[in-house]
Amino acid sequence: MFKYLATASAIAMATTAFAQEHDHDHDHHDEDVTLYRVFVGDHAGGSVTALDLADPDHRWQFDTTGQVKLFGVAGGATVAAVQSDDNAVHFFSSGISFEDHGDHADIAVSDPAAIDTVLTGPRPFHVVDHGGSVIINYDQGGYAELIDAHHLSHGEVELTTFTQSQAHHGFVALLGGNLLSTVASDVVDAPRLGLQAFNADGTPAGELATCTAIHGEAFSGAYLAAGCREGVLTATASADGVTYNMLPYEADLPAGNTTGTLLGSTGIQVFLGNYGANGLVVVDPVDAPHFRYIELPFRRVDFALDPVHPANGYVLTEDGTLHQVNLLEAALTGSVKVTEPYSMDGHWNDARPRLAMAGDEVIITDPNAGLLRRIDTDTLRETGTIAVEGAPYNIAVVGGSGIDH
């Protein structure tokens, strides 16, 4: 049985809402405000467009070093633009922040802006935003940089470095009082070994948990999960440190596949992961069956979870069809043709659509058409398009609803 998380009812406040305790009186001219701000990177590289979803002509343009992958971090107050091929990370203040008052959140809106500090290092890749830290792994540097999320939400970049024993494609995450880091072999081209807890000074705080070729971390509820050849490894914090549990792939799953990308629900303690080119798998970290397989009619292009309706997810397949996924039933419950076909043959980084959620809409980049497509989650109908110069590719959406006093 999936565990529903207490935050589910508050999701409508924001896709990624920033919350702080704050006291003040409310005898002012209150106004409900809902605002989602979309950040889109161009496939050719070196450009990010930001726009307000409710007023798409209200937009801003930012230059970067190269092609970006975008992440809403620090409660959505900041967007990180990771440029793995160009060894750089830019940050943008999103211009939207929230202060939590229990029964509602105050929203503050301003123009987005580039943060002066630009990180440079050998191949930044995975970004993990959890526990008050935004952590970026440098795959060819053998280290990760930790950034205080609260300070980052105010445009301040304060760095702490965590050194790994070997440079590798991996991640570092904060869990409880420990840093969890992937661990690589010192043998050239050997697969990554697994996950291990460390103290802040880099000394081991526990034994290595085997998870061969580990990849694709995500958080849901109390659990961190990552895929590997043996199954999905979960980790939870406890008074005695970190507790691991390997969920081995079950016999009824299609043989020869693994999970390498996981998304964690914010409303239900559950993960949605890839499983082979034509499949998804719903992962329950607590109760058996831990895996439920969903076969797709065509190869998967991209997928996302719905924070407003946490039982739902969405997946785009290469025939250009968007499918609604019901995680509780582990089934596709609706489909609609939204783009021309985008073949998964070719280079992994060829221009293909990407998905993001904005309240009751799925926002889909359509690089070949130069458009963002807006799909209503209730009807699965396209409600409009937004033209974006170039080839709109990677996307992040921040924002939500609050009261402007």
Side-chain angles (χ1 to χ4, degrees), residues 287-304:
D287 295 323
H290 296 296
F291 298 91
R292 291 185 294 160
Y293 179 70
I294 304 170
E295 184 173 2
L296 303 174
F298 291 92
R299 289 180 290 185
R300 178 194 60 260
V301 177
D302 194 24
F303 62 113

Side-chain angles (χ1 to χ4, degrees), residues 297 315 317 319 321-324 332-338 379-380:
V315 57
T317 49
D319 63 327
T321 298
L322 180 70
H323 308 271
Q324 188 176 62
L332 304 181
T333 52
S335 301
V336 60
K337 188 79 163 53
V338 292
T379 64
L380 291 185

Side-chain angles (χ1 to χ4, degrees), residues 71-131:
F71 302 85
V73 297
T78 306
V79 173
V82 178
Q83 299 145 76
S84 300
D85 291 341
D86 293 276
N87 302 325
V89 182
H90 286 70
F91 297 100
F92 307 111
S93 294
S94 72
I96 303 176
S97 61
F98 296 87
E99 292 183 355
D100 179 56
H101 296 271
D103 61 340
H104 73 276
D106 286 357
I107 185 171
V109 179
S110 60
D111 287 350
I115 294 174
D116 290 338
T117 302
V118 177
L119 305 184
T120 58
R123 198 162 176 78
F125 213 100
H126 278 236
V127 175
V128 179
D129 180 8
H130 186 77

Side-chain angles (χ1 to χ4, degrees), residues 265-300:
S265 174
T266 55
I268 308 172
Q269 197 161 261
V270 64
F271 299 89
L272 183 65
N274 67 318
Y275 195 78
N278 289 70
L280 294 171
V281 65
V282 178
V283 182
D284 185 337
V286 179
D287 295 323
H290 296 296
F291 298 91
R292 291 185 294 160
Y293 179 70
I294 304 170
E295 184 173 2
L296 303 174
F298 291 92
R299 289 180 290 185
R300 178 194 60 260

